Amino acid sequence: MAFNFCCSWNPSLFLLLIIVAFFNSSQSILAGNFDQDFAVTWGDGRAKTLNNGKLLTLSLDKASGSGVQSKNEYLFGRIDMQLKLVPGNSAGTVTTYYLSSPGSTRDEIDFEFLGNLSGDPYIVHTNVYAQGKGDKEQQFYAWFDPTADFHTYSIVWNPRSILFYVDGTPIRVYKNLEARGIPYPKNQPMKVYASLWDAEDWATRGGLVKTDWSQSPFTASLRDFKADACVWSSGKSSCGSNSTKPWFSQELDATSQARLKWVQQNYMIYNYCTDAKRFPQGFPPECIANNSTA
C-alpha cells in the first residue's frame, strides 16, 4: 500500500514533527536536573534539591555551609547557571559557582559572589587558575540586584579563550597565550562546583565587616544548569579531537567588545593587571600581552 502525503496536510502533525526535531537537536543543552547531574559533597543536609530536582538551595549557618559538584567532568564547553544570591545583610558570606580540576596543579575558572551589608552592592569576583597558579582576579559590582531574582552566569571555555558572561553580557576575557609561555587551562577536565560558605576574614571590606549570625541561615538558590560541553569519560572527550559547537571557536564580535568595555569602564572595581602595589617588579606577562585586560 502506498501513502501519498502531498495531499493530506495535517498542521498538528507538522507542528509535532517540528517540536520533536527541536528537542532532538537541543536535548544535550536542556536545563539540567540537580538530582541527576550533581552530588552533594558537604553541608550535612544544608544543600537541598526542590521541584523535582529543578531547584537547588545552599544554606549557611554558624556551624557549616554547603556545597555540590557535578557528576560529569568537562574539557571545554559552555556552562550556564542561574543564581539568586543571599538577600539582606550577607556580609562575610561567599556564594561560588566555578569549574575546577583536582590536585595542587589544578586548573580553575571562578565566579565568586562576595556578600555585603544591606544596600551595598554585591561584588562579582572572577579568577583563573592554570597549573595550580591563580592570582588573576578581576572584580565587578553587579549593575542589578542579584538577590531579587535569578540571573544567568555563563562560562565559555574553549582552546582560544575563557569568556565570563552575566545575562549574556561579557564581563571578562582571558586569552590563551601559551605561544608566549603563559600556561592556559586546556588539558585537565573539570567538574562544576557550587557552594555557600563563611569567609568573614576577607570577603567584605577585607574582613573588616563580620558575618551577622543573627541573620542566619543564609540561603542562595540555583536553577537552570546547562552544560553544552565536551564530557570527559574514560580518558576521552565526547567531542573527539575537535568540535563544531559554536562556542568552540567563540570570540567577541564588535558589539560584544563594546559591551565588555562598558562593563569594565563602569563596574570593574579591581583588576590585578593594574595593581602596581601588588606587582612592584612588573605586571604578570599576560597583562602586557592583553593590553592590561587579560
Side-chain angles (χ1 to χ4, degrees):
M1 179 181 295
F3 292 91
N4 187 349
F5 287 98
C6 70
C7 302
S8 56
W9 169 253
N10 187 327
S12 298
L13 177 60
F14 182 69
L15 179 60
L16 177 61
L17 291 174
I18 291 176
I19 293 172
V20 170
F22 175 79
F23 176 79
N24 287 337
S25 67
S26 62
Q27 59 181 335
S28 62
I29 56 172
L30 290 175
N33 182 294
F34 287 105
D35 289 328
Q36 298 173 4
D37 299 331
F38 283 80
V40 176
T41 51
W42 62 288
D44 193 23
R46 292 173 177 82
K48 299 178 180 179
T49 57
L50 305 168
N51 299 345
N52 296 317
K54 295 180 181 179
L55 179 70
L56 169 70
T57 60
L58 300 173
S59 292
L60 163 70
D61 56 37
K62 198 167 186 177
S64 178
S66 51
V68 299
Q69 70 178 32
S70 66
K71 295 178 182 179
N72 283 332
E73 290 182 299
Y74 306 97
L75 188 61
F76 303 128
R78 179 186 177 109
I79 308 295
D80 300 280
M81 187 83 79
Q82 289 195 352
L83 289 87
K84 183 163 68 171
L85 302 180
V86 175
N89 182 358
S90 58
T93 72
V94 175
T95 305
T96 72
Y97 150 57
Y98 63 101
L99 308 179
S100 183
S101 62
S104 59
T105 58
R106 73 189 186 279
D107 292 339
E108 189 169 303
I109 305 169
D110 293 341
F111 265 116
E112 296 185 323
F113 307 93
L114 312 186
N116 219 325
L117 294 170
S118 298
D120 290 343
Y122 259 83
I123 292 175
V124 181
H125 175 102
T126 66
N127 201 355
V128 175
Y129 285 74
Q131 299 177 18
K133 188 177 187 313
D135 302 328
K136 302 173 182 66
E137 303 91 344
Q138 289 185 358
Q139 295 181 340
F140 309 82
Y141 281 141
W143 54 91
F144 50 85
D145 181 355
T147 73
D149 202 353
F150 287 91
H151 292 268
T152 302
Y153 304 89
S154 307
I155 295 169
V156 174
W157 169 38
N158 63 43
R160 297 182 181 184
S161 58
I162 298 165
L163 302 96
F164 296 78
Y165 290 87
V166 177
D167 288 335
T169 295
I171 65 169
R172 179 177 185 178
V173 177
Y174 186 84
K175 298 177 182 178
N176 183 345
L177 297 170
E178 282 187 311
R180 307 188 187 203
I182 299 166
Y184 181 80
K186 71 168 193 178
N187 296 315
Q188 300 187 73
M190 296 194 264
K191 291 188 175 184
V192 182
Y193 294 82
S195 63
L196 174 58
W197 51 286
D198 174 43
E200 67 174 3
D201 57 332
W202 66 269
T204 306
R205 298 181 187 174
L208 294 177
V209 182
K210 303 300 183 182
T211 305
D212 181 0
W213 293 110
S214 69
Q215 304 292 319
S216 68
F218 304 99
T219 301
S221 302
L222 300 86
R223 71 180 187 189
D224 287 351
F225 164 70
K226 297 177 184 177
D228 184 8
C230 303
V231 177
W232 186 265
S233 180
S234 302
K236 295 181 180 180
S237 167
S238 62
C239 297
S241 60
N242 209 327
S243 176
T244 59
K245 298 282 191 179
W247 53 257
F248 198 79
S249 58
Q250 182 172 335
E251 294 182 298
L252 299 185
D253 58 18
T255 300
S256 295
Q257 289 176 2
R259 297 173 75 186
L260 173 70
K261 185 177 181 179
W262 172 78
V263 171
Q264 295 195 339
Q265 287 182 339
N266 293 281
Y267 296 99
M268 177 182 280
I269 58 171
Y270 179 79
N271 181 1
Y272 77 111
C273 285
T274 60
D275 191 343
K277 291 183 179 180
R278 183 176 174 186
F279 301 105
Q281 305 304 317
F283 295 115
E286 70 269 15
C287 296
I288 300 170
N290 278 292
N291 193 27
S292 298
T293 58

